[in-house]
Amino acid sequence: MSIIRTALVLAFFVGIFARSLDATAAEPGEVIVANNLGLPLWTHNFDSGKTTTIGDKLLLSEFMGAHCFVTEHLRLGMMFQWTEQYTGAVATGADRFTTFALLPQVGWVFSNHLAVAGIFTIAPISGGKHDLDLGVQALVGYGLPISQNAALNFAVELRYNFHVANTLGVTPLLGLTFRI
């Protein structure tokens, strides 16, 4: 049974790779819609000296938004972030809905698959409270095409927030992007 399962998984990934040959470069004016899930793995608070890992708090973030290509490689976008806390102690007066943020960004796409982005964070809800936080993020990602108009995304973001507290964090992301 495990040989059949292994063969099916291998066939799936070979099929995805073969479909990636259909991918075409973006044209100026094209719009993509993205939906990603992120799992904040590690955060260090420089003000308190405390480090929080996934073992302390299980948070799940959803990022939804759209991007418009200005050139074949340069894109401008806006994402929205929702983060919920599933495990771990919640701070006094805080909610498990920990973050809502607007994420305007500038991205650069290399070879239609590898991308980087510079992101500004405007979070009117942070730490489970109505506290405005601000920050910046650097993102590196890879889009594995699954059709001519869709890709499976793998990314890692490094975020630094500075308005409520000086924090540095790492979040891997997985999601889908669709060209509309």
Side-chain angles (χ1 to χ4, degrees):
M1 185 67 161
S2 65
I3 294 173
I4 293 172
R5 189 177 324 147
T6 303
L8 288 173
V9 169
L10 183 60
F12 173 76
F13 285 110
V14 168
I16 286 176
F17 178 74
R19 295 293 295 173
S20 72
L21 301 175
D22 293 341
T24 59
E27 296 292 329
E30 284 188 351
V31 175
I32 59 171
V33 175
N35 189 3
N36 298 303
L37 292 176
L39 193 62
L41 295 181
W42 177 89
T43 302
H44 180 74
N45 185 320
F46 292 100
D47 297 337
S48 69
K50 183 178 178 185
T51 298
T52 304
T53 67
I54 193 170
D56 303 312
K57 291 182 181 180
L58 175 61
L59 301 161
L60 184 62
S61 298
E62 182 175 8
F63 301 88
M64 295 177 62
H67 306 265
C68 180
F69 280 87
V70 178
T71 69
E72 183 177 312
H73 298 285
L74 179 68
R75 68 183 187 200
L76 302 176
M78 173 65 84
M79 299 291 281
F80 298 94
Q81 174 186 349
W82 292 268
T83 302
E84 291 186 69
Q85 181 178 334
Y86 291 95
T87 65
V90 176
T92 304
D95 192 79
R96 289 200 178 273
F97 175 64
T98 63
T99 308
F100 171 72
L102 305 169
L103 306 169
Q105 52 195 267
V106 176
W108 186 265
V109 180
F110 301 91
S111 72
N112 204 32
H113 301 293
L114 183 64
V116 296
I119 304 163
F120 188 69
T121 303
I122 305 164
I125 297 174
S126 66
K129 300 177 182 179
H130 289 274
D131 287 338
L132 174 67
D133 202 0
L134 302 173
V136 292
Q137 300 176 23
L139 182 130
V140 176
Y142 183 82
L144 180 66
I146 54 178
S147 76
Q148 191 167 5
N149 294 315
L152 181 62
N153 302 321
F154 305 94
V156 175
E157 89 181 2
L158 181 64
R159 67 187 186 289
Y160 175 71
N161 289 356
F162 52 82
H163 189 67
V164 171
N166 290 297
T167 61
L168 181 66
V170 177
T171 302
L173 304 163
L174 177 66
L176 293 171
T177 300
F178 300 96
R179 187 175 303 174
I180 56 172

